[in-house]
Amino acid sequence: MELTAEYPGLTGFEPITEVDRKEFLSQGFLLLRNVLTEHHRQRLEAAVDRIHGEEIAAGRSAKDGTVHLLGFLDRDELFADLLVHPTTFPYVWGLLGWNIYTHHNHLDVTPPAREPERPYWGWHQDGYRQNSDPETLDGSPRPMFSVKIAYVLSDLSETGRGATKVIPGSHLRNTLDRPTALPHPDPPGTVEITANPGDAFVFDRRLWHSRSTNLSSISRKMLFIGYTYRWIRPLDEMSIDRAGPWWARRTPLQRQLLGDGTHTANHWGVGWDGYVDEEIPLRRELMQRGCLDRSVPWLR
């Protein structure tokens, strides 16, 4: 209910435009401005600061205070609400469809670098064996499989603050040449995603990307939520207590997005009879709102 007041008039089921869809399919990412109100961003940042302190106190951070926390969604009530955030969720179902859940999410705090980093090559595509097992012998692009929403909580409006670097359009290339010279120069076409606090970006897992060094005096703070198809296994270990109060407060849609299902075939989008299960929460919601579209394969 609090988010309804923060974002009046938005439901999270407003279809994305064809312009946005075409840009995403062409570039592999979209920068989304002002997806968080300032009040909401401040609350999220406070939660991140608390968890960052808890991880340091528990000895689960790097020596410089860097934290890369997987499966963070149950660490604060605010995080679960981001699963269906009204300003970003349309891009999730609009680009992936209705048979989805979150398989991978991480909370990142990157303090200013204390000393120059050793030369490294950080460019990669997400997905691990998804970049090998479905490889095409003719070099055709691999399947997308998943997208991530990246929420920017700190000021990344200038380069040199540890922002994500990407190569627009590189999601359609299965390989990336690695230079032999040290330090490795960034590949041609590299863009550092500069963004304001409260912005977000959505990107195709195949987009070649890399972290950058935080050369500023402020800590980089971000939240990443990845979504994929329910027939793909989870990447993160999430020790959710399904008998506890946090799970009891989750809506049926949130539970689907956290991996819930009625049986194994349900994760493939069907009942045991082989027909589409019309009661899958996101499909039911999209159907009731008239958002299914047979001209878009993943929205049939």
Side-chain angles (χ1 to χ4, degrees):
M1 294 300 293
E2 290 186 37
L3 284 190
T4 302
E6 290 265 15
Y7 303 92
L10 294 178
T11 66
F13 295 97
E14 293 78 16
I16 63 174
T17 66
E18 274 304 302
V19 171
D20 277 352
R21 178 177 284 118
K22 288 179 179 178
E23 182 177 346
F24 179 84
L25 295 177
S26 169
Q27 299 299 302
F29 79 105
L30 284 171
L31 177 58
L32 311 174
R33 296 293 190 183
N34 302 313
V35 302
L36 300 173
T37 65
E38 178 58 16
H39 177 250
H40 190 193
R41 187 205 64 79
Q42 288 178 3
R43 294 168 65 208
L44 287 167
E45 184 177 23
V48 168
D49 289 344
R50 173 181 58 78
I51 292 167
H52 182 233
E54 292 171 356
E55 293 299 297
I56 290 176
R60 293 191 293 263
S61 68
K63 291 181 180 179
D64 65 353
T66 295
V67 165
H68 176 65
L69 177 63
L70 303 179
F72 71 91
L73 290 177
D74 62 345
R75 294 287 292 268
D76 194 281
E77 195 72 24
L78 287 172
F79 299 150
D81 289 337
L82 287 179
L83 282 169
V84 290
H85 186 58
T87 58
T88 56
F89 193 53
Y91 294 91
V92 178
W93 62 262
L95 297 169
L96 280 178
W98 49 266
N99 197 40
I100 59 172
Y101 82 118
T102 180
H103 67 308
H104 176 46
N105 47 85
H106 50 96
L107 176 158
D108 288 0
V109 177
T110 311
R114 295 179 181 175
E115 56 187 30
E117 289 188 329
R118 295 179 180 178
Y120 73 97
W121 179 256
W123 289 93
H124 65 284
Q125 295 174 304
D126 288 345
Y128 302 101
R129 290 297 300 184
Q130 288 182 339
N131 296 312
S132 302
D133 293 344
E135 180 64 274
T136 55
L137 296 180
D138 64 357
S140 300
R142 307 178 188 107
M144 179 172 69
F145 285 137
S146 69
V147 301
K148 272 183 182 174
I149 302 284
Y151 294 94
V152 178
L153 301 183
S154 57
D155 189 350
L156 302 181
S157 61
E158 299 178 10
T159 59
R161 295 183 175 180
T164 304
K165 296 183 292 186
V166 302
I167 307 172
S170 62
H171 60 304
L172 303 178
R173 295 156 44 188
N174 291 345
T175 60
L176 183 67
D177 291 335
R178 179 173 178 171
T180 56
L182 289 176
H184 297 305
D186 285 330
T190 294
V191 172
E192 187 170 332
I193 300 180
T194 52
N196 299 317
D199 290 345
F201 55 94
V202 53
F203 66 100
D204 184 321
R205 70 149 194 100
R206 301 170 298 176
L207 187 70
W208 288 91
H209 61 284
S210 174
R211 70 177 182 87
S212 62
T213 304
N214 186 358
L215 301 173
S216 73
S217 60
I218 62 176
S219 290
R220 166 186 176 262
K221 303 173 187 177
M222 295 193 67
L223 299 171
F224 292 80
I225 302 181
Y227 300 81
T228 193
Y229 300 108
R230 295 168 70 227
W231 39 266
I232 292 176
R233 293 178 63 83
L235 178 59
D236 299 342
E237 291 283 353
M238 284 192 67
S239 54
I240 296 175
D241 178 10
R242 282 172 164 75
W246 186 86
W247 183 257
R249 289 191 293 270
R250 305 282 65 84
T251 66
L253 176 52
Q254 288 176 335
R255 291 184 181 187
Q256 172 191 326
L257 296 173
L258 289 163
D260 208 25
T262 53
H263 50 73
T264 53
N266 180 262
H267 290 86
W268 291 74
V270 299
W272 286 120
D273 57 5
Y275 290 97
V276 169
D277 185 345
E278 304 291 357
E279 293 305 308
I280 292 173
L282 182 51
R283 179 177 176 83
R284 184 175 65 238
E285 190 78 38
L286 293 175
M287 180 181 294
Q288 291 174 350
R289 294 177 180 271
C291 295
L292 296 181
D293 183 350
R294 292 201 60 80
S295 69
V296 180
W298 50 91
L299 288 176
R300 290 175 183 164

